[in-house]
């Protein structure tokens, strides 16, 4: 019976990552799908089999941090585009950035598994990013308006 522990799931993730990376590289080298498939499967099995528990824990923390980073960055980019392409007033945009910054800090704190030094740096980075968005809100909006007007003229 296979238990779904964190170690097992991280091993599966590493297997999948190593497999796809090695398959892509070997397919470009050999040009044959079958040979690339077999060699990349062997490489992936060896990569997962020889991982020590310390390396697995390190990989879990690293991928966990990247998950947090992506969970904060992708919605930020989408919201950034829609907020500045809309006709919202300055006060509402600034209120939204303060609210979104607080929610990002809460999200980060709820899934935080980093050391205290790294955690402090990430929190400081979030505060700086959202402070800059609030401070330069009008400048960013004017830049979007200039670009939008150029596109409309064409």
């Amino acid at each position: 019976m296979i238990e779904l522990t964190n170690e097992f799931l991280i091993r599966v993730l590493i297997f999948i990552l190593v497999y796809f990376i090695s398959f892509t590289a070997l397919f470009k080298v050999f040009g044959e799908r079958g040979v690339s498939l077999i060699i990349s499967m062997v490489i992936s099995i060896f990569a997962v089999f020889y991982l020590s528990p310390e390396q697995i824990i390190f990989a879990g923390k690293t991928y966990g941090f990247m998950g947090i980073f992506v969970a904060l960055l992708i919605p930020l980019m989408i919201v950034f585009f829609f907020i500045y392409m809309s006709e919202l007033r300055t006060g509402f945009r600034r209120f939204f950035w303060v609210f979104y910054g607080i929610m990002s800090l809460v999200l980060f704190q709820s899934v935080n598994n980093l050391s205290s030094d790294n955690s402090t740096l990430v929190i400081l980075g979030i505060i700086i990013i959202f402070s800059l968005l609030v401070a330069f809100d009008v400048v960013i909006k004017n830049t979007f308006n200039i670009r939008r007007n150029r596109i409309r003229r064409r």
Side-chain angles (χ1 to χ4, degrees), residues 25-69:
L26 290 171
F27 186 72
K28 288 183 180 182
V29 171
F30 294 117
E32 292 185 28
R33 192 176 190 95
V35 173
S36 302
L37 179 82
I38 292 170
I39 294 174
S40 61
M41 190 69 76
V42 170
I43 291 171
S44 301
I45 290 171
F46 281 141
V48 171
F49 184 71
Y50 286 110
L51 281 176
S52 67
E54 294 83 23
Q55 292 170 328
I56 292 173
I57 291 169
F58 176 76
K61 287 183 178 180
T62 303
Y63 292 132
F65 175 72
M66 287 304 296
I68 293 168
F69 182 70

Side-chain angles (χ1 to χ4, degrees), residues 76-110:
L76 175 68
M77 292 184 338
I78 293 169
V79 167
F80 182 86
F81 177 75
F82 283 114
I83 287 288
Y84 285 109
M85 290 304 288
S86 67
E87 296 297 328
L88 297 175
R89 297 192 184 273
T90 303
F92 183 74
R93 285 193 310 268
R94 287 182 176 167
F95 172 75
F96 181 79
W97 287 128
V98 169
F99 175 75
Y100 196 81
I102 292 170
M103 292 307 296
S104 297
L105 288 173
V106 169
L107 173 68
F108 178 73
Q109 287 296 325
S110 69

